[in-house]
């Protein structure tokens, strides 16, 4: 609802709504109010020009042309909508057939590919001849002529959704193809389909006008705008308005459908030809707290960062008052269990939190620029050139239909104004910088021709197309085997060493973070609960950090014993307790912990910890694992 009212307040949304309202009201009311008058023959006033009585003149039977144009709105619009419905329905069936039929559906894909190559109007003429003249023939002709492009669109959308992990999970779980289609796929392609159908209705309107104009569409005594144009054409030198007025009506109604489609696309975050990532960067709002002057080598400063989403029982805050900073060449790790707010923290920095998420911060400063003030376009440019993001699954970060080199080059053409040749050379150079052998050949390959580790390195290479000051790597090694994991970590280390780049490494794996980070931030339930040098992890003071360390198996772990785990379940962000969020799982917790949330206190050495019982011995965990071994 919010998105609709926001869109209506934009010039595009307002114009679309006004035009559509005019068209629909005319379609509903004109035949009721003027239907009879428009059909009234007046042989005394044949082929009259514009006059106060007949503003755009009369036709060969003395009928008022303005009234006929208005009355024709209903038939023209209704038939265009029915034809669009036919096109979408047939397109949907043809588009999903390959998914349902497997290999047997391949010929359908080929036929659709061939049909798409023909201009839709040619196809419509072909079908109109087959189905005969009249409204039914014309509707079927235009509907079937529009079906191939919808089939292609559906096929692309279905293929896109079908390759997503959740569909694979449903298939692995033994759910049948039909059920997967109706439960998982169709709901995900509904929005772009509706948007494209609305725009397609404008095209159908034009096509109808074209067929009727050629005498293949509506037949007398019925009339639509195309028919009126055809009739007006014969007297165009005597009364040009007779042919122009129905033409203008076609343009207005076509424009109304197109604008509504475009406005709906913006409101729904859908591109006219597919789904665009709805990564609307949320403009952070300044919360309490002022930002001081930036230290010289500071790359990132975050204070009082919160991320809030609307929830069923009120706002939910998965990130609550996070504060940290990064200097050039510093590698900081964020660890924590799933759902602790690590990724949202990273996305907030990159201004990629999805709506309706709201990012608040007291300070959000990146390479000296205050991301809370100023022009969002400038921020995007700065982030585009100075921040690199590396995600967990590089397969979904690369476009499967474009060559790797072209995708890397695109970044430079977009942000650094390089020519195509220069951008390609830089892409090859960057692939070589991330230790990809034969970079020239590899640049011409598609993502699926790369191994997982190579894709991840190519993703890092994409981040290095500019001269990033900060690399945010969100679980960059989780999907990789240990050997490749080590290569990626080494690569990150060498980037830091060679270019003095700051790195924010997000991981649920303490041992990965311990290996390459200078400092470690431990997150629990949306807060930082401990901040300490990685070299001091063995002397972690927060019971949660110590529990995480104890849960990491190593070469000395006794595999005959059950692996140590952090007892209990992580906190649901929608139900964060009043006191310390870890209290329910903490062996040291007492009544005070359950009532009062401890502050994140900075010690003399600059470390931070939020615990009422920091440093107290943890008998239960200490016996489970010798924490020293984990980070040794
Ligand atoms: N778009 C969203 N709308 C509502 N809640 C969200 C959204 N994105 C994330 N959350 C919630 O915020 C919490 C933190 O998510 P986040 O992705 O930051 O966790 P994480 O620590 O990175 O976990 P993981 O290691 O599993 O990626 C989770 O409980 C998640 O359900």
């Amino acid at each position: 609802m919010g998105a609709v009212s926001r869109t209506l307040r934009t010039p595009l949304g307002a114009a679309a709504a006004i035009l559509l309202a005019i068209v629909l009201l005319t379609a509903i009311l004109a035949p009721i109010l003027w239907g009879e008058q428009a059909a009234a023959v007046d042989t005394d006033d044949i082929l009259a020009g514009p006059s106060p009585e007949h503003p755009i003149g009369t036709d060969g039977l003395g009928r008022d042309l303005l009234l006929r144009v208005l009355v024709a709105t209903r038939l023209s619009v209704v038939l265009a909508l029915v034809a669009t419905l036919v096109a979408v329905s047939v397109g949907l069936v043809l588009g999903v057939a390959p998914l349902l039929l497997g290999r047997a559906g391949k010929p359908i894909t080929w036929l659709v590919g061939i049909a798409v190559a023909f201009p839709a109007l040619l196809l419509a003429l072909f079908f109109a001849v087959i189905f005969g003249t009249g409204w039914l023939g014309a509707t079927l002709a235009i509907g079937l002529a529009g079906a191939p492009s919808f089939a292609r669109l559906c096929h692309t959308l279905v293929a896109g959704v079908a390759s997503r992990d959740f569909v694979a999970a449903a298939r692995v779980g033994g759910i049948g193809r039909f059920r997967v289609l109706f439960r998982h796929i169709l709901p995900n392609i509904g929005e772009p389909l509706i948007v494209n159908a609305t725009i397609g209705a404008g095209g159908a309107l034009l096509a109808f006008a074209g067929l009727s104009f050629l005498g293949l569409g509506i037949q007398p005594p019925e009339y639509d705008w195309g028919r009126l144009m055809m009739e007006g054409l014969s007297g165009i030198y005597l009364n040009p308005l007779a042919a122009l007025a129905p033409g203008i009506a076609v343009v207005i109604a076509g424009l109304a459908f197109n604008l509504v489609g475009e406005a709906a696309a913006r409101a729904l975050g859908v591109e006219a030809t597919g789904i665009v990532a709805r990564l609307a960067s949320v403009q952070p709002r300044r919360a309490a707290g002022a930002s001081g002057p930036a230290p010289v080598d500071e790359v990132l400063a975050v204070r009082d960062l919160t991320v809030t989403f609307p929830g069923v029982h009120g706002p939910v805050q998965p990130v609550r008052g996070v504060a940290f900073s990064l200097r050039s060449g510093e590698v900081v790790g964020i660890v924590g269990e799933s759902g602790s707010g690590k990724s949202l923290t990273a996305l907030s920095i990159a201004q990629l939190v999805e709506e309706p998420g709201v990012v608040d911060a007291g300070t959000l400063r990146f390479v000296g620029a205050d991301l809370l003030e100023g022009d969002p376009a400038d921020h995007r440019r700065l982030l585009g050139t100075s921040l690199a993001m590396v995600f967990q699954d590089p397969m979904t970060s690369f476009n499967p239909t474009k060559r790797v080199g072209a995708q890397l080059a695109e970044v430079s053409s977009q942000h650094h104004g390089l020519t195509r040749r220069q951008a390609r050379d830089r892409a090859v150079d960057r692939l070589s910088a991330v230790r990809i052998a034969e970079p020239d050949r590899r640049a011409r390959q598609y993502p699926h021709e790369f191994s997982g580790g190579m894709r991840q390195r190519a993703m890092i290479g994409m981040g290095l197309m500019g001269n990033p000051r900060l690399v945010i790597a969100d679980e960059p090694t989780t999907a990789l085997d240990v050997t490749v994991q080590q290569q990626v970590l080494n690569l990150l280390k060498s980037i830091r060493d060679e270019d003095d780049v700051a790195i924010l490494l997000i991981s649920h794996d303490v041992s990965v973070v311990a290996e390459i980070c200078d400092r470690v931030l431990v997150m629990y339930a949306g807060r930082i609960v401990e901040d300490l040098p990685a070299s001091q992890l063995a002397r972690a003071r927060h019971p949660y950090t110590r529990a995480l360390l104890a849960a990491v198996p190593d070469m000395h772990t006794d595999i005959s014993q059950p692996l140590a785990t952090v007892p209990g379940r992580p906190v649901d962000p929608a139900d964060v307790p009043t006191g310390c969020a870890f209290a329910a799982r903490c062996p040291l917790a007492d009544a005070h912990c359950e009532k009062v949330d401890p502050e994140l206190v900075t010690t003399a050495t600059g470390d931070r910890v939020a615990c009422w019982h920091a440093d107290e011995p943890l008998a239960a965990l200490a016996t489970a694992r010798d924490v020293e071994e984990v980070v040794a």
Side-chain angles (χ1 to χ4, degrees):
M1 210 46 213
V4 172
S5 55
R6 257 199 312 281
T7 308
L8 282 178
R9 282 200 290 271
T10 63
L12 174 72
I18 291 170
L19 271 185
L20 188 72
I22 291 173
V23 171
L24 291 184
L25 278 177
T26 312
I28 295 167
L29 297 178
I32 301 170
L33 296 176
W34 304 301
E36 280 180 21
Q37 277 171 272
V41 175
D42 182 359
T43 44
D44 294 339
D45 213 1
I46 288 171
L47 293 176
S51 66
E53 201 183 337
H54 303 292
I56 59 169
T58 59
D59 67 2
L61 292 175
R63 294 173 294 199
D64 185 89
L65 279 174
L66 179 61
L67 294 184
R68 287 176 74 75
V69 169
L70 294 174
V71 171
T73 307
R74 182 184 287 179
L75 193 61
S76 305
V77 168
V78 168
L79 290 183
L81 291 179
V82 175
T84 309
L85 195 68
V86 172
V88 174
S89 311
V90 176
L92 195 60
V93 172
L94 294 177
V96 301
L99 177 87
L100 296 177
L101 303 177
R103 288 173 73 87
K106 280 258 181 243
I108 295 180
T109 314
W110 298 331
L111 284 178
V112 166
I114 293 169
V116 165
F118 285 96
L121 203 56
L122 260 190
L123 280 182
L125 285 173
F126 170 74
F127 284 123
V129 171
I130 293 180
F131 292 119
T133 53
W135 70 265
L136 183 62
T139 309
L140 286 175
I142 292 169
L144 291 182
S149 58
F150 277 104
R152 168 63 68 85
L153 173 69
C154 290
H155 185 66
T156 311
L157 293 172
V158 166
V161 179
S163 65
R164 304 262 283 273
D165 291 350
F166 65 89
V167 174
R171 296 284 290 276
V172 169
I175 299 177
R177 284 174 192 255
F178 270 99
R179 207 173 151 81
V180 166
L181 177 69
F182 286 102
R183 284 191 54 140
H184 296 285
I185 297 182
L186 291 186
N188 278 298
I189 67 169
E191 288 180 356
L193 210 56
I194 290 169
V195 168
N196 281 276
T198 314
I199 293 171
L205 198 84
L206 272 178
F208 248 109
L211 280 193
S212 293
F213 182 77
L214 295 173
L216 295 169
I218 304 301
Q219 300 299 314
E222 306 288 352
Y223 57 97
D224 69 345
W225 288 328
R227 180 103 218 149
L228 291 179
M229 271 196 285
M230 176 197 174
E231 290 170 3
L233 193 69
S234 53
I236 194 160
Y237 294 113
L238 295 173
N239 181 16
L241 276 179
L244 275 179
I248 291 169
V250 172
V251 171
I252 291 175
L255 201 63
F257 285 123
N258 274 281
L259 289 183
V260 168
E262 293 293 342
R266 294 213 183 154
L268 298 168
V270 171
E271 209 174 22
T273 51
I275 305 169
V276 284
R278 214 184 292 182
L279 293 175
S281 64
V282 178
Q283 181 66 30
R285 288 190 281 112
R286 192 179 285 280
S291 41
V296 191
D297 61 347
E298 176 197 276
V299 173
L300 177 73
V302 179
R303 299 275 170 272
D304 295 324
L305 178 76
T306 61
V307 182
T308 313
F309 289 99
V312 183
H313 305 292
V316 175
Q317 207 164 63
V319 175
R320 308 179 290 142
V322 163
F324 65 96
S325 55
L326 263 121
R327 296 189 315 276
S328 288
E330 193 179 21
V331 185
V332 169
I334 304 186
V335 286
E337 284 165 299
S338 186
S340 53
K342 308 181 295 291
S343 300
L344 277 179
T345 302
L347 292 175
S348 309
I349 296 163
Q351 306 223 315
L352 290 176
V353 170
E354 294 177 36
E355 286 185 21
V358 175
V359 179
D360 275 335
T363 303
L364 193 52
R365 200 168 46 222
F366 179 55
V367 286
D370 186 349
L371 297 184
L372 303 174
E373 301 275 340
D375 186 353
D378 290 342
H379 299 156
R380 273 198 298 280
R381 213 166 299 121
L382 175 70
L383 292 166
T385 50
S386 305
L387 173 77
M389 292 277 292
V390 180
F391 295 103
Q392 176 175 343
D393 182 359
M395 193 63 212
T396 51
S397 310
F398 275 112
N399 181 339
T401 64
K402 288 176 74 180
R403 293 173 206 274
V404 172
Q407 295 189 58
L408 264 68
E410 197 175 21
V411 178
S412 273
S413 319
Q414 179 82 24
H415 290 299
H416 311 117
L418 298 188
T419 63
R420 275 179 62 165
R421 178 85 228 165
Q422 288 168 329
R424 214 199 91 80
D425 290 348
R426 173 122 184 115
V428 173
D429 176 66
R430 295 294 83 189
L431 285 179
S432 142
V434 293
R435 323 233 190 302
I436 287 184
E438 298 183 79
D440 205 15
R441 183 173 69 85
R442 290 294 185 176
R444 290 193 300 270
Q445 291 187 326
Y446 290 92
H448 71 267
E449 295 175 82
F450 279 46
S451 71
M454 277 166 63
R455 272 198 295 270
Q456 192 59 295
R457 279 182 280 152
M459 193 70 222
I460 296 173
M462 189 187 278
L464 299 181
M465 284 300 284
N467 293 309
R469 300 285 311 280
L470 171 64
V471 175
I472 299 181
D474 190 351
E475 306 273 9
T477 58
T478 307
L480 308 174
D481 69 52
V482 218
T483 331
V484 183
Q485 178 172 319
Q486 195 56 47
Q487 289 170 6
V488 171
L489 290 180
N490 289 343
L491 179 62
L492 288 174
K493 271 191 239 176
S494 67
I495 290 168
R496 187 270 299 268
D497 295 342
E498 287 160 23
D499 301 325
D500 213 23
V501 174
I503 296 178
L504 184 64
L505 177 71
I506 292 168
S507 180
H508 61 269
D509 188 340
V510 192
S511 52
V512 165
V513 166
E515 184 179 334
I516 76 160
C517 293
D518 302 312
R519 296 192 72 75
V520 179
L521 308 175
V522 183
M523 281 191 77
Y524 188 77
R527 284 189 64 192
I528 293 179
V529 293
E530 186 156 18
D531 168 5
L532 75 172
S535 57
Q536 297 296 312
L537 262 177
R539 277 173 281 287
R541 303 167 60 207
H542 197 288
Y544 177 60
T545 317
R546 288 188 270 169
L548 278 183
L549 289 163
V552 180
D554 67 8
M555 297 298 282
H556 307 286
T557 305
D558 181 357
I559 53 169
S560 63
Q561 298 294 316
L563 283 175
T565 53
V566 184
R569 298 171 69 87
V571 170
D572 177 355
D575 189 21
V576 180
T578 330
C580 172
F582 189 57
R585 306 169 74 186
C586 180
L588 300 177
D590 55 23
H592 185 60
C593 300
E594 280 164 18
K595 278 203 211 84
V596 190
D597 201 9
E599 290 280 316
L600 187 62
V601 179
T602 309
T603 65
T605 54
D607 300 350
R608 295 180 295 168
V609 67
C611 179
W612 295 119
H613 299 284
D615 298 324
E616 283 181 24
L618 265 181
L621 290 169
T623 51
R625 292 278 292 106
D626 183 355
V627 168
E628 293 274 355
E629 283 176 9
V630 175
V631 288

